[in-house]
Amino acid sequence: MTKLTTNPYKGVRDFYPEDMAAQRYMFDVWRMTAEHFGFEQYDASILEPSELYKSKGAVNEEMVNEQTYTFTDRGDREVTLRPEMTPTVARMVAHKRRDLHFPVRWYSIPNLFRYERMQRGRLREHWQLNCDIFGVDDVSADIEIILLANEIFKNFGAINGKQYNIHVSSRRLLEALYDALDLDTDARTAATRLADRKNKMEAVDFKAKMTEAVGNKASEVLTFLNADNINVVPDSVKTSEAYAEMKTLVETMKEMHCKVIFDPTIIRGFDYYTGIVFEVVDLDPENNRAMMGGGRYDNLTEVFGGEPITGIGFGFGDVTLKDFLISHDLMTTDIMSVTLAVLPTDLALNLEAQKIAQEFRVAGVATKVDLSGKKVGKKISLAGEQFVDYVLVLGEDEVKSKSYKVKDLIEGTEITGTLEELIEKLAN
Ligand code: HAM
């Protein structure tokens, strides 16, 4: 008989309890922070009709053509495992547009599937916090979304500028530059595609390719893409609304003590972005993938008919976040423990131990029982490794005398008393 592999499918992860504990910690901080900003949770199925990702302007061609998991169901429908959440949330908002009170602030933590070439920070299944605001075409919503992103990092104990940077740019500003240079559609598309790859190319190569794409306008495009702050972009874009919007964003964020870096090379691969775009990067060079990315998309709901509803939001991935937390020593490990472990000294005392544990649980103390046949010393050290705070060793003497000892594993102290006394102590 051929043996089956115990490995999971390529590019996905099994979540053992310690992985689940880390995931729960990350999701809890995500949820808590999103709700602190007034976002409401939504969800949907991982299955979507494939056409959702094929409509013009809806997504990113590379993703649709090369990275989706698509199959035909028994009823001949083409189905895709969702590679991202934005088309889904746009669909849901469009579906209920008449019943919703805008602005809508929604969040979700979906698992997403992309058939990617696997590398550090990139797998084939990941989870992503998505936060989006619909119905506000004003830079104040863009500011709120970036503040929320920053607040999440703060709540993980990270410091802006020390462990991560927030890079912002604007598709609208890029279009203003193209307008000023009078570029045609093909030149715009070619220049934008190239700009997206600027940081991966040699400067000479980049310049040559840009000249191929936009001819003698290349030097102005390069001046724009090399700008390291909003004040040094070419004068030709400084009269545009997009410039005023970007300047307001950068200056307001500064007033609010949230540093953002103007970086015109942030393009974001999806076709649906139309305004401010941003990414948060990890400053550990080992983690060279963006941790989150987002931006404004004005027309995505249009594909469902009716007037478009503008949206602004981000996706924040769990794989890159976990690498970030571990690299910067910010991962909390004390996240899967119970408060008390009851440790019978003999298998014959397991039932008695179970009864005592249940009394603690009823009083609100998270309690487990070590039902193994291990020696009691081993049981105590295991409880310590599992971050249990207290242990109660249960032997014949304790059962007979009804007087018990609880040891505080952190302080190294011990308290003795009746069950009622000890329960009261621990429950408080
Ligand atoms: P995205 O840039 O494709 O944006 O993904 C956002 C984040 O998800 C990335 O920065 C990364 O942390 C994580 N991520 C993406 N792909 C993978 C992967 N294969 N493995 C591990 N992590 C990954 C979007 O998906 C947009 N829909 C975000 C958005 C929401 N824009 C507006 N609202």
Side-chain angles (χ1 to χ4, degrees):
M1 202 165 72
T2 46
K3 278 194 210 137
L4 291 179
T5 172
T6 55
N7 293 329
Y9 166 71
K10 187 168 178 187
V12 308
R13 290 160 289 168
D14 289 329
F15 288 82
Y16 286 90
E18 59 273 25
D19 308 308
M20 221 42 229
Q23 191 196 59
R24 216 172 60 188
Y25 168 61
M26 298 191 289
F27 286 13
D28 282 351
V29 173
W30 277 350
R31 268 191 213 108
M32 182 194 73
T33 319
E35 288 176 12
H36 194 67
F37 274 64
F39 282 65
E40 297 172 290
Q41 191 167 11
Y42 70 95
D43 207 347
S45 166
I46 57 171
L47 300 178
E48 285 283 4
S50 304
E51 63 181 22
L52 181 64
Y53 307 105
K54 290 183 178 167
S55 55
K56 196 174 168 313
V59 275
N60 143 335
E61 261 176 48
E62 182 195 2
M63 196 158 80
V64 172
N65 296 335
E66 293 165 29
Q67 295 182 348
T68 50
Y69 282 88
T70 295
F71 62 94
T72 308
D73 75 7
R74 288 166 205 275
D76 254 352
R77 294 172 208 92
E78 220 193 340
V79 186
T80 296
L81 301 191
R82 59 186 177 200
E84 56 152 340
M85 201 58 168
T86 315
T88 299
V89 71
R91 177 178 64 66
M92 288 170 67
V93 166
H95 186 68
K96 286 236 167 170
R97 59 189 308 146
R98 285 198 188 80
D99 307 324
L100 294 171
H101 298 287
F102 292 98
V104 159
R105 286 183 176 81
W106 282 1
Y107 83 93
S108 190
I109 308 179
N111 56 338
L112 308 171
F113 299 84
R114 297 183 189 180
Y115 194 83
E116 295 221 42
R117 197 166 58 78
M118 276 154 37
Q119 49 199 297
R120 185 167 169 87
R122 283 290 174 272
L123 300 178
R124 290 184 176 169
E125 181 188 26
H126 73 285
W127 272 255
Q128 213 186 67
L129 169 69
N130 274 251
C131 294
D132 291 87
I133 304 176
F134 286 91
V136 189
D137 185 11
D138 184 281
V139 71
S140 56
D142 306 53
I143 288 169
E144 178 177 324
I145 273 289
I146 298 175
L147 281 175
L148 166 57
N150 189 53
E151 193 73 15
I152 295 172
F153 280 97
K154 267 206 297 219
N155 287 340
F156 281 114
I159 299 169
N160 188 351
K162 187 174 168 210
Q163 288 126 342
Y164 66 95
N165 275 338
I166 304 173
H167 293 243
V168 296
S169 185
S170 162
R171 285 282 190 96
R172 220 176 265 168
L173 190 59
L174 193 59
E175 287 299 324
L177 175 79
Y178 296 158
D179 288 346
L181 298 176
D182 203 19
L183 294 187
D184 64 25
T185 314
D186 289 348
R188 286 174 193 231
T189 310
T192 305
R193 290 228 167 102
L194 257 179
D196 199 19
R197 291 170 40 215
K198 179 171 184 291
N199 298 332
K200 295 182 192 127
M201 290 172 72
E202 293 294 328
V204 224
D205 268 1
F206 185 74
K207 191 172 172 190
K209 286 258 162 24
M210 193 53 89
T211 308
E212 257 174 52
V214 301
N216 62 5
K217 315 273 172 64
S219 72
E220 186 102 344
V221 175
L222 286 175
T223 306
F224 178 82
L225 293 175
N226 287 331
D228 60 1
N229 81 70
I230 184 69
N231 299 312
V232 302
V233 296
D235 285 341
S236 57
V237 298
K238 285 192 175 164
T239 50
S240 65
E241 272 179 35
Y243 178 76
E245 178 187 69
M246 194 71 218
K247 214 165 153 64
T248 306
L249 181 117
V250 171
E251 285 168 5
T252 314
M253 298 304 289
K254 194 169 172 197
E255 268 170 45
M256 293 190 176
H257 308 291
C258 174
K259 187 182 139 213
V260 295
I261 297 169
F262 173 69
D263 176 359
T265 63
I266 299 292
I267 301 291
R268 310 269 309 127
F270 300 98
D271 293 343
Y272 50 65
Y273 292 119
T274 46
I276 301 274
V277 283
F278 63 96
E279 276 180 6
V280 179
V281 298
D282 189 333
L283 292 181
D284 184 332
E286 287 283 299
N287 302 329
N288 58 359
R289 295 268 159 190
M291 286 186 277
M292 65 148 68
R296 180 171 288 283
Y297 44 99
D298 286 326
N299 312 315
L300 196 51
T301 55
E302 207 175 18
V303 296
F304 307 102
E307 281 290 296
I309 305 162
T310 180
I312 165 94
F314 63 73
F316 188 167
D318 69 324
V319 180
T320 41
L321 173 61
K322 193 172 178 186
D323 288 343
F324 173 81
L325 295 177
I326 292 170
S327 298
H328 298 285
D329 213 7
L330 296 169
M331 181 56 99
T332 299
T333 46
D334 184 7
I335 41 184
M336 48 190 281
S337 59
V338 295
T339 309
L340 173 71
V342 179
L343 314 177
T345 54
D346 192 289
L347 285 175
L349 294 172
N350 274 2
L351 264 186
E352 192 57 32
Q354 205 56 283
K355 287 181 198 161
I356 288 173
Q358 183 59 11
E359 297 214 27
F360 277 98
R361 292 184 197 122
V362 168
V365 182
T367 304
K368 69 176 173 187
V369 187
D370 188 333
L371 297 171
S372 75
K374 294 187 187 76
K375 296 230 165 63
V376 78
K378 180 77 192 156
K379 287 184 178 181
I380 295 174
S381 60
L382 257 178
E385 279 169 33
Q386 293 167 348
F387 303 106
V388 173
D389 300 325
Y390 301 94
V391 292
L392 186 159
V393 174
L394 185 73
E396 288 290 353
D397 290 349
E398 284 76 14
V399 176
K400 277 196 199 118
S401 66
K402 297 209 183 306
S403 168
Y404 306 88
K405 274 198 200 90
V406 164
K407 185 168 181 185
D408 183 330
L409 290 184
I410 298 159
E411 303 288 333
T413 52
E414 223 170 50
I415 38 172
T416 307
T418 63
L419 207 51
E420 291 70 32
E421 286 163 351
L422 294 173
I423 287 174
E424 199 187 322
K425 188 100 186 137
L426 262 61
N428 293 326

